[in-house]
Amino acid sequence: MTSTPRRLLLVAAAAVATGLPLRGGMAQQVDIGRATAFIQQTGEQLVGAINAAGQSVAQRRERVAEILRRAVDVEGVGRFILGRWWRQATPEQQQEYLKLFEQVLIHNLSSRFGEYQGVRFTLGRTQARTEEDALVNTVVERPGNPAFGLDWRVAEIGGQPKVVDVIAEGTSLRLTTRSEYSSVITRNGGQVAALLQAMRNQIQQMAARAGG
Amino acid sequence: MPAYRLPVALALGAALALGACATRPDPTDPEAVAEFEANNDPIEPLNRAMYIVNDGLDTLILRPAAEAYRIFLPPEVRTAIRNVLANLRSPIILVNDVLQGETQRAGTTAGRFLLNTTLGIGGIFDVAKDFGLLGHTEDFGQTLAVWGFPEGPYLFVPVLGPSNPRDLSGAAMGLASDPFSWLSGGELIETVTISRGALGAVDTREGLIEPLDALREGSLDPYAALRSAYRQRRANEISNQSLESPAARGTGFGAGTGIEGPRR
């Protein structure tokens, strides 16, 4: 039983080691009121775009994607997710990864949110999580579905509040995707190139599905 | 219930027989070691094989059954079935509320069971919700966690889904202590028990059609994503932080996908 706390410590140490230097210098202390207002505003924009009448699915999705690109710290999230492999990637790989990651992330999120027709959301409490970020709780309701908790982790990036993680019912997008990407790289002999190839294929499939 | 036990026994037996172990990372790379320990998946090759077996079973049987269930039964009927199944789980939830010392939540569960069984006509309608008594789930896996038992290595069990020794033990304790499973003898009761198990499986899978489809399509490594999501989701359930976790079944997919809960 002594191994569990030690393991937690290791994980925490790894998280700190991989997370902090990446955002170093960019993140400042986050103001809770500002974070809440930011999520309120972004949430209203998203709900408006999702429920917009007289628009095609593709149009709605494009609008949702636009809002997300502005609200999410895509680069910070991307670096966090690549984690320990970021330093092993060449500068070219880093650049390509960030480009591919933005496409994958925005596509996945906007197609998910795009399905939430008739969605409503309510703000819950906001708490400071670390010195640098705050967690804003929202409850998402859709007709005919149970309400579920969607939490937004918000940090100040370059003087602007930005979303750095989305947590659905306790499951963090950042952590889940980090696990996934790291597994792809590890299983391919530690090659970041393998992940990039897999992401390129994924984007092609996404485009084929959208076209077909 | 044999439908549940067989895959468990098979997986455990195979694990012992094969002893398939994951390759340990280079011990001089602390980050790689930390990740390996955090994954806590020493029999990953076997788990991945079981994941593939499950994928096949799911594509051939479970998902089509869930689709048919959705197509042939109107939403009102499915909601009623889900409510009845949830109501039948109440005694187990109550026991676990008490075992965790959560007196207020225990009161809620007891109140819900009484109201829904009577006014809600055997649990068909969730009237307790209108009295402000919102449902929550608990199971023996969570109670073991609250008592300080470690989760143990990750296990993937076909049909049941993601799990670990603690949650598997919890699931077994749940089956053994379910008062509705003590009834035995008559053929009718057998039939009811089996129907309840089958309905529960189809109902759970129906609620997970979209999340699991999204996982299959959108993930570069669905196995790894599910492993991470399951852990996070269980940690969240154990902490009793969220408003309700509609999908929790103690172990497996119902507790694991994280993306959204099935319809109530």
Side-chain angles (χ1 to χ4, degrees), chain B:
Chain B
M1 296 308 133
Y4 285 96
R5 274 183 212 144
L6 187 63
V8 177
L10 278 179
L12 289 178
L16 291 174
L18 286 173
C21 285
T23 332
R24 287 197 70 87
D26 179 2
T28 57
D29 184 347
E31 287 183 331
V33 173
E35 185 180 89
F36 182 82
E37 306 249 313
N39 284 344
N40 192 7
D41 192 359
I43 56 160
E44 180 169 341
L46 179 74
N47 278 337
R48 282 196 184 259
M50 291 299 122
Y51 180 83
I52 293 169
V53 169
N54 180 76
D55 222 35
L57 287 175
D58 188 70
T59 311
L60 288 174
I61 305 166
L62 289 176
R63 196 182 178 287
E67 284 241 61
Y69 180 73
R70 179 179 283 186
I71 292 167
F72 290 120
L73 293 184
E76 298 77 25
V77 176
R78 280 183 274 128
T79 303
I81 291 173
R82 183 159 292 173
N83 286 343
V84 170
L85 290 169
N87 196 47
L88 289 174
R89 280 195 299 273
S90 293
I92 293 290
I93 298 173
L94 177 61
V95 168
N96 283 289
D97 283 334
V98 171
L99 289 176
Q100 292 176 30
E102 297 270 4
T103 45
Q104 201 174 350
R105 281 162 71 93
T108 305
T109 306
R112 281 179 56 80
F113 186 63
L114 290 177
L115 281 170
N116 285 345
T117 306
T118 52
L119 290 178
I121 316 175
I124 293 175
F125 303 102
D126 186 0
V127 289
K129 211 153 88 177
D130 305 327
F131 288 86
L133 294 177
L134 291 181
H136 63 260
T137 55
E138 279 300 344
D139 53 71
F140 284 97
Q142 294 185 53
T143 300
L144 291 174
V146 170
W147 288 357
F149 285 89
E151 63 178 338
Y154 183 69
L155 293 174
F156 192 95
V157 187
V159 184
L160 267 184
S163 195
N164 55 50
R166 184 175 69 198
D167 286 340
L168 273 186
S169 317
M173 289 159 76
L175 284 180
S177 58
D178 190 339
F180 299 108
S181 73
W182 297 338
L183 310 169
S184 69
E187 223 169 275
L188 177 72
I189 290 168
E190 282 282 285
T191 315
V192 169
T193 310
I194 292 168
S195 313
R196 183 189 164 203
L199 262 183
V202 175
D203 168 66
T204 305
R205 187 63 187 86
E206 189 269 334
L208 294 168
I209 288 179
E210 280 78 20
L212 285 185
D213 282 359
L215 184 78
R216 266 184 197 159
E217 279 180 11
S219 176
L220 298 178
D221 187 341
Y223 172 85
L226 192 59
R227 180 176 63 197
S228 169
Y230 179 69
R231 287 241 173 74
Q232 296 178 53
R233 178 68 171 261
R234 285 301 276 168
N236 183 53
E237 283 166 0
I238 290 161
S239 71
N240 287 350
Q241 295 270 308
S242 65
L243 42 150
E244 52 179 328
S245 45
R249 295 288 188 285
T251 193
F253 285 113
T257 50
I259 298 142
E260 60 182 323
R263 184 188 327 90
R264 264 267 154 105

Side-chain angles (χ1 to χ4, degrees), chain A residues 164-181:
Chain A
V164 294
D165 196 8
V166 185
I167 301 152
E169 288 282 325
T171 308
S172 143
L173 173 88
R174 225 163 47 158
L175 292 180
T176 308
T177 316
R178 179 152 81 170
S179 230
E180 176 188 331
Y181 283 11

